[in-house]
Amino acid sequence: LHPFGDALNQVLGEGPGADLGQLHVTGRGREVIGAFQRRPKEVVTLGPRDNPWNRRYHACAQVDPAAFSRFMAVYHEFLRSFVLQDLRTDRVAFQASPTFRCHLPWCGAPGRPHRDEDYRHPRCEVNYWIPLTAVFGSNSLYAESRRDACDFRPFELSPGALVRFYGNQVWHYTIPNETDCTRVSIDFRVIREQEWSIATFSDFQLGAYYAVMTRSGVLPYKSPEIRALQEEFQCVPPPKKMKGK
């Protein structure tokens, strides 16, 4: 119902039906892994800026706007038809652009153990984590079941499944991928309208980090509805400075 895989293949410039779990055995994948393994010993991870598929994802809006628009349409429809119902609400503030992750084998562990609150995300955020490849063992994301439980386990899912969790409240992390499967996933954060407040949007604001999804669809960025919400929750962007003549 929500063809994230097909849409993402186009964004990444992979062929129709390409197996994203095997990106590491492509010519580019072997090149990236070889370059990483030749690095000095003090380099312990391949960060997202060094991954060609991450770069393709972030450049797609400019390089191939039609492909990126198709991907965003799938994302928006998933929010409208699934997330609103799943959270039993009529509106959510949602991460305007989902986070793309590509965890290649034998390239270290991107990121560090954290809770999203470490980066000032609001307490009421809910995380959705959607794998586009099989996820298991060391190629997956490890998380505890509740705050301070320390019962860390990897999410183990097949494409088509997802995890909803409170990334703001529980520790989560990755470890070096020692499987023979690249993990490709997207994730994003949402906040039900019942949790909206001035404090909620004090650091990550409406009309910037967050867009708004309703039962009728996403609110346009410059719509009167967004402006009214920005005023209500005191996150109106400052006026742009006029350049001197």
Side-chain angles (χ1 to χ4, degrees):
L1 294 178
H2 304 284
F4 279 111
D6 291 343
L8 193 58
N9 270 337
Q10 294 181 20
V11 167
L12 299 179
E14 300 296 322
D19 184 355
L20 298 180
Q22 295 298 303
L23 290 178
H24 59 288
V25 300
T26 64
R28 178 60 61 87
R30 293 181 187 276
E31 179 182 334
V32 169
I33 292 169
F36 172 79
Q37 294 177 343
R38 289 192 297 271
R39 288 182 171 192
K41 292 183 179 180
E42 62 267 19
V43 179
V44 296
T45 186
L46 177 65
R49 295 180 186 275
D50 299 317
N51 184 308
W53 291 282
N54 278 280
R55 292 198 296 269
R56 288 178 184 176
Y57 175 80
H58 290 292
C60 185
Q62 285 73 44
V63 174
D64 189 348
F68 195 73
S69 179
R70 286 190 291 270
F71 172 75
M72 291 300 291
V74 174
Y75 177 48
H76 289 163
E77 179 57 21
F78 177 77
L79 287 157
R80 189 193 67 80
S81 63
F82 178 83
V83 171
L84 291 179
Q85 180 176 347
D86 186 49
L87 295 179
R88 299 180 181 180
T89 188
D90 291 326
R91 295 190 299 179
V92 292
F94 69 94
Q95 186 175 331
S97 181
T99 302
F100 168 80
R101 304 185 195 271
C102 179
H103 190 12
L104 294 165
W106 316 304
C107 285
R112 64 175 182 83
H114 67 281
R115 297 182 180 119
D116 289 357
E117 68 179 6
D118 297 345
Y119 302 102
R120 302 182 65 84
H121 282 271
R123 187 179 183 87
C124 51
E125 269 186 343
V126 177
N127 297 56
Y128 283 85
W129 191 81
I130 305 176
L132 282 306
T133 59
V135 291
F136 56 94
S138 60
N139 82 355
S140 191
L141 180 69
Y142 286 69
E144 55 186 349
S145 61
R146 56 183 172 78
R147 190 178 183 96
D148 295 326
C150 296
D151 54 347
F152 297 101
R153 290 183 175 83
F155 298 143
E156 299 203 344
L157 305 168
S158 298
L162 61 82
V163 175
R164 187 187 80 188
F165 72 110
Y166 283 96
N168 186 275
Q169 298 301 306
V170 301
W171 287 100
H172 51 286
Y173 61 90
T174 59
I175 63 175
N177 181 357
E178 296 180 355
T179 74
D180 193 30
C181 181
T182 296
R183 186 253 293 175
V184 172
S185 60
I186 61 171
D187 57 89
F188 56 91
R189 304 172 177 96
V190 303
I191 304 173
R192 300 189 317 152
E193 68 172 322
Q194 292 90 330
E195 317 292 341
W196 295 357
S197 69
I198 293 172
T200 298
F201 301 116
S202 60
D203 290 290
F204 295 86
Q205 299 186 338
L206 284 168
Y209 183 83
Y210 296 115
V212 175
M213 179 60 67
T214 73
R215 295 284 182 181
S216 300
V218 65
L219 294 182
Y221 173 67
K222 293 185 178 181
S223 66
E225 293 89 347
I226 285 288
R227 180 68 180 193
L229 290 170
Q230 289 175 323
E231 291 175 350
E232 179 180 354
F233 297 113
Q234 298 182 14
C235 51
V236 176
K240 293 182 179 180
K241 293 183 178 180
M242 299 295 291
K243 294 182 179 180
K245 294 183 178 179

